[in-house]
């Protein structure tokens, strides 16, 4: 979640009912006012409208499960292929339609029609998840001294001789050390050593293709065959546990 003079929360709403989109927009505006947040809300009348040119820019997605032209669960699966971290809250007409939400690590669900208080409760839980995620960081020592780097900004670490390249979302840091030394510090934050050269941030893995992991920044990194099964287990647990 980005911060400025007023924290910004980016929310996407997908619902084919125009009236309900307006209700949700009003609820969200009220929530932002009460919490002192600047909400940037984008509304979509179907899932394809969201997926066209989709980029992982949202903090929270409110997805209707049953829409005329879209299966909300299938939409969530498509979103997860690009964005493993966005908080998903399902909107449904009946509780049983949200039963498979665990497949896409949904935070929760709301049954229509619901009052503002119900949405406010779920958004409050979402804020707690986002705040925990953004507060985590690791301390790295480069040529300029110690610096704290948010975990969310680290895509992967690469070993090169006796030095490490820490690849970030917006650049890289070079520092002395080894992957073996860094593993204990990074493991509690959702990192996994995929082979002898890389430690990857599981939150930035957007796809796995045979023996390769595809990262959110486009890099394709090899997964060693002996580590593949454990890598997939760790990735599954990360996606399922990210929002708990």
């Amino acid at each position: 979640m980005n911060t400025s003079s007023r924290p910004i929360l980016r929310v996407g709403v997908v619902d084919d009912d125009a009236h309900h989109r307006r209700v949700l927009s009003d609820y969200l505006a009220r929530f932002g006012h009460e919490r002192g947040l600047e909400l940037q809300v984008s509304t979509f009348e179907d899932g394809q409208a969201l997926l066209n040119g989709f980029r992982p820019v949202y903090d929270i997605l409110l997805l209707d499960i049953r829409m005329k032209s879209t299966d909300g669960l299938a939409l969530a699966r498509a979103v997860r292929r690009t964005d493993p971290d966005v908080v998903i809250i399902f909107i449904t007409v009946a509780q049983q339609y949200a039963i498979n939400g665990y497949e896409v690590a949904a935070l929760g669900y709301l049954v229509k029609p619901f009052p503002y208080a119900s949405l406010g409760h779920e958004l409050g839980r979402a804020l707690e998840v986002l705040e925990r995620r953004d507060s985590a960081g690791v301390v790295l020592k480069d040529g300029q001294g110690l610096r704290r780097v948010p975990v969310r900004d680290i895509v992967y670490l690469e070993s090169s001789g006796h030095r490490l390249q820490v690849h970030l979302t917006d650049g890289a840091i070079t520092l002395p050390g080894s992957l073996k030394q860094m593993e204990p510090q990074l493991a509690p934050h959702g990192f996994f050593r995929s082979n002898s050269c890389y430690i990857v941030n599981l939150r930035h893995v957007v796809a796995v293709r045979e023996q390769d992991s595809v990262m959110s920044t486009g890099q394709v990194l090899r997964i060693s065959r002996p580590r593949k099964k454990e890598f997939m287990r760790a990735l599954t647990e990360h996606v399922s546990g990210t929002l708990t």
Side-chain angles (χ1 to χ4, degrees):
M1 184 172 58
N2 297 318
T3 58
S4 59
S5 56
R6 294 184 70 199
I8 298 173
L9 195 67
R10 296 180 175 87
V11 182
V13 176
V14 184
D15 194 316
D16 61 359
D17 184 325
H19 170 71
H20 202 251
R21 287 198 303 273
R22 288 192 297 271
V23 170
L24 283 171
S25 295
D26 290 343
Y27 282 176
L28 288 166
R30 176 178 170 182
F31 182 81
H33 177 74
E34 291 180 352
R35 295 295 187 103
L37 299 169
E38 178 183 341
L39 266 66
Q40 296 180 356
V41 180
S42 302
T43 60
F44 305 90
E45 63 183 17
D46 59 50
Q48 194 57 50
L50 172 70
L51 292 178
N52 287 339
F54 180 81
R55 293 174 59 248
V57 298
Y58 297 102
D59 297 298
I60 301 171
L61 288 177
L62 301 173
L63 306 180
D64 192 2
I65 289 184
R66 296 198 73 191
M67 294 179 281
K68 294 176 182 177
S69 60
T70 309
D71 174 349
L73 191 58
L75 172 61
R77 292 191 190 103
V79 165
R80 279 284 180 250
R81 287 195 287 270
T82 302
D83 191 343
D85 275 343
V86 63
V87 175
I88 293 176
I89 299 172
F90 281 127
I91 300 165
T92 176
V93 294
Q95 182 173 333
Q96 64 264 29
Y97 293 124
I99 195 169
N100 293 322
Y102 70 90
E103 295 181 16
V104 291
L107 178 68
Y109 58 87
L110 295 163
V111 179
K112 295 181 181 179
F114 50 84
Y116 166 75
S118 296
L119 178 62
H121 175 73
E122 291 300 317
L123 293 176
R125 293 178 62 214
L127 285 181
E128 292 175 2
V129 169
L130 294 168
E131 287 166 0
R132 286 199 305 269
R133 182 183 300 163
D134 284 1
S135 65
V138 295
V139 177
L140 303 176
K141 183 178 182 181
D142 61 12
Q144 299 178 341
L146 296 174
R147 59 183 290 185
R148 184 180 181 280
V149 179
V151 166
R152 66 180 182 277
D153 292 343
I154 302 174
V155 181
Y156 68 100
L157 288 80
E158 181 178 8
S159 175
S160 179
H162 297 291
R163 302 188 70 78
L164 293 175
Q165 286 280 334
V166 182
H167 296 266
L168 308 174
T169 54
D170 60 353
I173 302 171
T174 301
L175 60 149
S178 67
L179 295 181
K180 184 177 181 180
Q181 292 171 328
M182 291 299 299
E183 272 189 278
Q185 185 179 0
L186 295 171
H189 299 294
F191 286 76
F192 188 89
R193 187 166 179 175
S194 56
N195 67 22
S196 60
C197 297
Y198 304 121
I199 294 177
V200 302
N201 188 344
L202 295 172
R203 74 171 60 202
H204 283 286
V205 176
V206 297
V208 176
R209 298 172 184 164
E210 297 182 354
Q211 290 301 128
D212 296 320
S213 61
V214 182
M215 310 307 290
S216 62
T217 47
Q219 291 95 342
V220 178
L221 307 178
R222 196 70 172 171
I223 307 168
S224 70
R225 291 190 181 278
R227 295 175 184 263
K228 175 70 178 293
K229 183 177 180 180
E230 189 65 15
F231 178 89
M232 295 305 297
R233 183 196 64 78
L235 182 61
T236 299
E237 289 185 355
H238 171 77
V239 172
S240 299
T242 296
L243 304 180
T244 62

